[in-house]
Amino acid sequence: MRLNITHLLAIAILAFCGSAGAGQTRFQLDKKNGHYYISTTVNGVPETEIFIESGLPGLMLDEARFKRILGELTLDTLGAHRDMVLSDHANHKLINVFSGEVSIGGLLYNGKIYLVDNYDKLGVPIHCLKNNTDTTANLIRLNFKNNILDFVPRDSISGKRTHSYRITNYAPMPIIETTMELADTYGHNGSITGRMVFDLGSGTAVYLFRKNVSSFLKKHKFKIAKARDKATGKVVGEGIFAGSCKLGDRTLYGTSVGITNRLWREDSFGCVGSKFFKNGTIAIDPDNMQILYWD
């Protein structure tokens, strides 16, 4: 009899944990190699690890995860009309494309699902998630000091002294409009106004697309240095050591601003990553097309 009670208690605990995950809208962020992950129930499968990004074209996963997590879902098959798909700065071989709804804790993803080869995770575009338990709690808040992601109502931040960036494009990735005021440690400074990609997974606070800023850098005579791997001495990139870098009303001091030839968007002069908001908080506001930020 004692064994039966123990067995029933274990089942009850598991059921409670599963149901709690199913309604979850607050998550602990786990940072690995500069990228953020959460763990929750996905389509009834508990404790599923999810890679959250802002640069994914849709929900992405490999064939094994597709069968295990989404295999029982009724999805529309769109078909793979190209060989590769670009995501999180890499190309992946495309197997198939679907469309449908996927429950993620107490959230809902509704959009394209990319089945790709050699992709060792389940990736979800964070800005495409919606609160499925409370539609009034639709701000996507990222607390980078405490590593918390949650979905909150607008009145929960009413007492904060917030600033904002206007979002000009929301999908496939958020693009903001801002002015960058940059000063290097050699006395050179200048400003440029335009669009920047919000790149949650970037390992750099700010990096610039060389093709779009070359005349700006040349005009203000910024000192560009080579970045080398400490172990091998090999050149791994270029950048500016900035005495200050200001975007909107937020300023970082003593930071590196990367310059890349590898990545490029015609409509933007660079990217701003989560490191720019170190120890701060942002809230993506999809209804008003803005990113709020505060300390």
Side-chain angles (χ1 to χ4, degrees), residues 184-254:
D184 67 16
T185 54
Y186 296 89
H188 309 118
N189 61 80
S191 65
I192 181 171
T193 298
R195 297 177 178 181
M196 298 189 78
V197 177
F198 172 62
D199 187 355
L200 180 62
S202 172
T204 306
V206 175
Y207 65 92
L208 308 176
F209 302 145
R210 183 187 293 275
K211 186 174 180 179
N212 294 0
V213 297
S214 57
S215 59
F216 164 73
L217 298 176
K218 186 176 180 180
K219 175 184 177 182
H220 297 286
K221 301 179 180 178
F222 285 108
K223 180 73 172 179
I224 300 173
K226 295 187 184 300
R228 297 181 182 274
D229 186 281
K230 290 182 180 179
T232 65
K234 194 175 180 181
V235 175
V236 293
E238 290 185 321
I240 297 167
F241 187 72
S244 65
C245 180
K246 183 179 181 182
L247 299 176
D249 292 293
R250 186 174 179 86
T251 305
L252 280 191
Y253 297 96

Side-chain angles (χ1 to χ4, degrees), residues 84-134:
M84 308 291 288
V85 61
L86 175 65
S87 75
D88 54 292
H89 307 163
N91 281 307
H92 302 278
K93 184 179 178 182
L94 191 57
I95 299 172
N96 211 339
V97 183
F98 304 90
S99 180
E101 294 184 349
V102 179
S103 63
I104 298 174
L107 311 175
L108 184 70
Y109 171 82
N110 186 3
K112 289 183 178 179
I113 299 164
Y114 293 87
L115 179 60
V116 294
D117 194 25
N118 292 324
Y119 194 73
D120 62 349
K121 48 189 170 280
L122 166 63
V124 178
I126 187 173
H127 55 293
C128 295
L129 293 173
K130 296 185 183 299
N131 193 330
N132 204 33
T133 60
D134 181 0

Side-chain angles (χ1 to χ4, degrees), residues 40-61:
T40 191
T41 299
V42 178
N43 192 38
V45 180
E47 298 183 12
T48 301
E49 185 178 70
I50 305 160
F51 167 55
I52 58 166
E53 246 287 13
S54 57
L56 300 177
L59 189 151
M60 293 182 61
L61 73 175

Side-chain angles (χ1 to χ4, degrees), residues 8-60:
L8 290 171
L9 182 60
I11 292 173
I13 291 170
L14 286 171
F16 173 77
C17 292
S19 62
Q24 189 177 2
T25 59
R26 178 184 171 89
F27 311 89
Q28 184 69 47
L29 292 170
D30 184 16
K31 194 171 184 179
K32 302 177 184 178
N33 300 318
H35 295 287
Y36 289 103
Y37 294 79
I38 62 173
S39 183
T40 191
T41 299
V42 178
N43 192 38
V45 180
E47 298 183 12
T48 301
E49 185 178 70
I50 305 160
F51 167 55
I52 58 166
E53 246 287 13
S54 57
L56 300 177
L59 189 151
M60 293 182 61

